[in-house]
Amino acid sequence: MQLVDFQNSEGYFAIAPFDHRSSLAQTLHLDLKIPADQEKFIALKRLFIKIFSPHVSAVLTDPEFGIQTLEDKAPKCGLFLSVEESGYSGDHDAMTILKKDWGIDQVKEHGAGAKLLVYFNPQSATANSKLELVRKLFVECKDKEVVFLVEPVLYAVPDKKEWEAELDAAWSKIYVEVCKSMAPFCDILKIQYPGSQEACAEVSTFHKNWILLSRGVDFETFCTYLTIAVRQGCKGYAAGRAVWQELSQWNTPEEWKTFLETTAVDRLKKLNEILKTATLIA
């Protein structure tokens, strides 16, 4: 697979991520150890891929539950599969754990790109080991012709106060350095809003294919961030919760389907319009 297989006609990456596992299940009050809840969870993943894939250039799902829904993906839509264990909570200082019995070979067998989420802080004792893991995976992906997407998440090291609040100047400076550290070892750099227009422009100087993730902000805020980012060289989005975070207000697949087909799809169309407008301006 090549980068073009994950881009839209304007050359942007428009990605719908729903590789969320434990965090999403908890939000929906589902216990994935219970068969009935697991079936309901897979049904939601099926709705995600069936409803979203016709409107984006690629989708991102997981090898545990989402992989069972791949037959519902639109044919021209690219696919990314995550390689890390579900990890949106817990000890972020701990070493990144890759999913057992799953790796780049399995990702390639599905005609997909590989995605890695890595919690990273330069002051952490595990920083060098995590960076080396990213480098090794990138080399493997290059050897096997698999597109590699990395999502670095900056976190606070316990007992070390480095910034007052997320997105402030101190946080932004460190986050841009984190992105710079990861940039040589990925084809696509997936990051949250780095704090300012100037920070967006700086990221563009060391990675030409970086995209903006929503990181849980509300949809209108994400639209503002994306507009700023694409004008400074950002190449697209990976919008998950900003598109569908109200999903927990409903309990049945029928209600989920209605919300996803209307509100969520309308939001994807608006994000695509932001990318298209940026292309016209450029």
Side-chain angles (χ1 to χ4, degrees):
M1 304 294 283
Q2 301 177 30
L3 282 173
V4 68
D5 296 309
F6 304 96
Q7 295 171 306
N8 63 18
S9 58
E10 285 85 26
Y12 285 95
F13 301 94
I15 302 175
F18 38 85
D19 58 328
H20 313 68
R21 284 154 276 178
S22 58
S23 61
L24 177 57
Q26 291 170 9
T27 299
L28 299 173
H29 307 293
L30 298 176
D31 184 346
L32 296 179
K33 295 179 182 178
I34 299 174
D37 281 3
Q38 189 176 118
E39 288 181 13
K40 193 174 182 180
F41 193 65
I42 293 171
L44 173 58
K45 295 273 185 173
R46 194 173 298 281
L47 287 174
F48 275 146
I49 202 165
K50 188 171 185 177
I51 294 171
F52 290 164
S53 62
H55 302 283
V56 293
S57 63
V59 293
L60 163 61
T61 193
D62 63 280
E64 293 167 89
F65 304 102
I67 206 164
Q68 302 175 53
T69 71
L70 297 185
E71 66 273 14
D72 291 307
K73 181 179 69 67
K76 293 183 179 180
C77 180
L79 172 67
F80 286 98
L81 291 167
S82 53
V83 295
E84 79 280 350
E85 286 286 1
S86 184
Y88 287 89
S89 61
D91 180 10
H92 298 332
D93 257 347
M95 189 60 191
T96 304
I97 300 175
L98 302 182
K99 183 165 175 57
K100 187 177 180 181
D101 300 323
W102 176 263
I104 304 306
D105 286 332
Q106 288 73 28
V107 169
K108 184 172 182 176
E109 287 173 4
H110 286 86
K115 167 260 180 180
L116 177 72
L117 166 72
V118 55
Y119 287 96
F120 192 83
N121 186 304
Q123 292 198 41
S124 169
T126 56
N128 289 337
S129 297
K130 289 179 178 179
L131 193 58
E132 179 61 13
L133 172 65
V134 174
R135 188 195 68 80
K136 286 183 176 179
L137 285 174
F138 180 57
V139 170
E140 183 180 358
C141 284
K142 281 296 183 187
D143 289 343
K144 296 174 179 177
E145 299 183 329
V146 172
V147 172
F148 189 42
L149 182 156
V150 170
E151 177 185 343
V153 177
L154 176 60
Y155 67 96
V157 173
D159 302 321
K160 291 184 180 180
K161 190 173 183 180
E162 301 170 82
W163 57 82
E164 293 296 327
E166 195 170 278
L167 300 187
D168 71 16
W171 178 92
S172 179
K173 182 178 180 180
I174 297 170
Y175 189 53
V176 169
E177 286 304 310
V178 168
C179 295
K180 190 174 184 178
S181 297
M182 297 287 171
F185 309 120
C186 59
D187 298 300
I188 303 171
L189 183 65
K190 175 187 174 191
I191 68 172
Q192 70 183 96
Y193 185 66
S196 67
Q197 173 179 306
E198 292 74 21
C200 290
E202 187 172 357
V203 174
S204 295
T205 65
F206 51 75
H207 205 296
K208 64 180 181 180
N209 290 314
W210 71 276
I211 64 175
L212 199 66
L213 66 95
S214 58
R215 192 69 181 155
V217 301
D218 65 78
F219 180 70
E220 292 305 322
T221 299
F222 184 63
C223 286
T224 299
Y225 287 166
L226 184 63
T227 300
I228 294 170
V230 295
R231 290 175 178 171
Q232 298 302 320
C234 171
K235 292 300 182 181
Y237 66 79
R241 287 173 288 170
V243 170
W244 45 259
Q245 61 187 348
E246 300 97 329
L247 201 65
S248 60
Q249 297 177 16
W250 296 278
N251 299 310
T252 69
E254 291 76 18
E255 291 172 314
W256 292 341
K257 183 174 184 289
T258 298
F259 170 74
L260 294 176
E261 287 181 334
T262 54
T263 301
V265 166
D266 286 345
R267 288 173 175 172
L268 287 176
K269 290 178 178 178
K270 183 172 181 178
L271 295 178
N272 291 338
E273 190 60 32
I274 290 173
L275 298 183
K276 185 176 182 180
T277 301
T279 303
L280 294 175
I281 292 174

